[in-house]
Amino acid sequence: MTAGGEERLPLRICVIGDSFVAGAGDSTCLGWAGRVAAKAIARGADLTLYNLGIRRDTSRDIAERWLSESRTRLPEGVDGRLIFAFGVNDRMEAPTPSGTRLPMAESLANAEGILRVAGARRPVLMIGPPPIAEDDANLRIRALSDALGPICRRLGVPWLPVFDALAADPVWMAEVRAGDGAHPDAAGYERLAALIEGWPAWQGWTGGA
């Protein structure tokens, strides 16, 4: 019920992104998305979360699929929300003119286009890309994270940068190094989930304290 006594609609959230959204490397198969959803439900949120993470997806891939995938899950008449989290794959080294899978300018244009259209349809949150176990790639990932923040602020989209906190987190970095060099196991995802759990924007959606 709302403060005015009106019944609230069940909350549906699509989380759209890459392998970190999918929870790759997590032996519990929860990732951060499963963890934050489970904790929200445990404290009383009426929530259905749709995990739309796909391994190796870049912002270009997400720009091409997010609308059709979310539309079927968030039809008219429901309290539907969108969370986007991507960027690491964009900045990985590749034999292209930019030297990466996507040039920085395209990554930023894709992000702005996604968030502009999504924000006109539904409430939206954006979570930044995390660090991996490769120093050169991390310089590029952090630069992208730093550039995404101003776009989110300009569009009025709540933004959670996680790069610096996770780069300084010994659990995240140790699990990434012990795994495939990019993805942590359960304890690492628990650290990322804790950052999201403490985010006022997420708490506002799910009734967190």
Side-chain angles (χ1 to χ4, degrees), residues 6 14 59 75 82 94 100 119 130 192:
E6 299 176 356
C14 288
S59 61
L82 298 161
T100 55
L192 175 50

Side-chain angles (χ1 to χ4, degrees), residues 87-180:
V88 172
N89 291 315
D90 290 39
R91 307 311 296 145
M92 297 307 292
E93 188 174 1
T96 64
S98 67
T100 55
R101 290 188 63 195
L102 294 185
M104 174 75 90
E106 182 182 348
S107 297
L108 298 178
N110 289 338
E112 180 156 3
I114 290 166
L115 296 175
R116 188 178 299 280
V117 174
R121 295 175 58 85
R122 298 286 186 180
V124 176
L125 303 178
M126 177 88 181
I127 297 169
I132 63 173
E134 183 182 331
D135 290 343
D136 289 344
N138 279 341
L139 292 175
R140 299 189 296 268
I141 294 166
R142 183 176 184 179
L144 176 60
S145 180
D146 289 345
L148 287 171
I151 292 173
C152 292
R153 287 189 288 273
R154 186 168 68 251
L155 296 176
V157 173
W159 158 250
L160 180 66
V162 299
F163 185 95
D164 287 345
L166 293 178
D169 188 315
V171 174
W172 175 274
M173 294 306 302
E175 289 208 339
V176 167
R177 293 188 184 100
D180 62 4

Side-chain angles (χ1 to χ4, degrees), residues 1-208:
M1 301 286 265
T2 65
E6 299 176 356
E7 186 174 355
R8 293 186 60 175
L9 291 172
L11 187 61
R12 298 190 190 187
I13 300 176
C14 288
V15 186
I16 306 171
D18 52 23
S19 55
F20 295 100
V21 169
D26 185 353
S27 57
T28 68
C29 298
L30 290 172
W32 65 260
R35 284 176 166 79
V36 298
K39 289 178 181 178
I41 291 169
R43 62 173 177 262
D46 189 353
L47 167 66
T48 299
L49 184 139
Y50 300 100
N51 189 318
L52 303 178
I54 297 179
R55 292 195 77 154
R56 300 198 79 251
D57 258 16
T58 66
S59 61
R60 182 190 297 166
D61 300 313
I62 292 163
E64 291 172 352
R65 70 179 174 86
W66 78 266
L67 184 56
S68 62
E69 292 188 0
S70 63
R71 183 187 284 133
T72 59
R73 294 162 176 85
L74 308 178
E76 293 299 321
V78 306
D79 186 359
R81 316 284 178 99
L82 298 161
I83 300 176
F84 293 94
F86 54 79
V88 172
N89 291 315
D90 290 39
R91 307 311 296 145
M92 297 307 292
E93 188 174 1
T96 64
S98 67
T100 55
R101 290 188 63 195
L102 294 185
M104 174 75 90
E106 182 182 348
S107 297
L108 298 178
N110 289 338
E112 180 156 3
I114 290 166
L115 296 175
R116 188 178 299 280
V117 174
R121 295 175 58 85
R122 298 286 186 180
V124 176
L125 303 178
M126 177 88 181
I127 297 169
I132 63 173
E134 183 182 331
D135 290 343
D136 289 344
N138 279 341
L139 292 175
R140 299 189 296 268
I141 294 166
R142 183 176 184 179
L144 176 60
S145 180
D146 289 345
L148 287 171
I151 292 173
C152 292
R153 287 189 288 273
R154 186 168 68 251
L155 296 176
V157 173
W159 158 250
L160 180 66
V162 299
F163 185 95
D164 287 345
L166 293 178
D169 188 315
V171 174
W172 175 274
M173 294 306 302
E175 289 208 339
V176 167
R177 293 188 184 100
D180 62 4
H183 306 98
D185 203 331
Y189 279 110
E190 185 66 43
R191 296 303 183 104
L192 175 50
L195 296 177
I196 298 165
E197 273 286 303
W199 186 20
W202 172 253
Q203 293 173 357
W205 278 16
T206 61

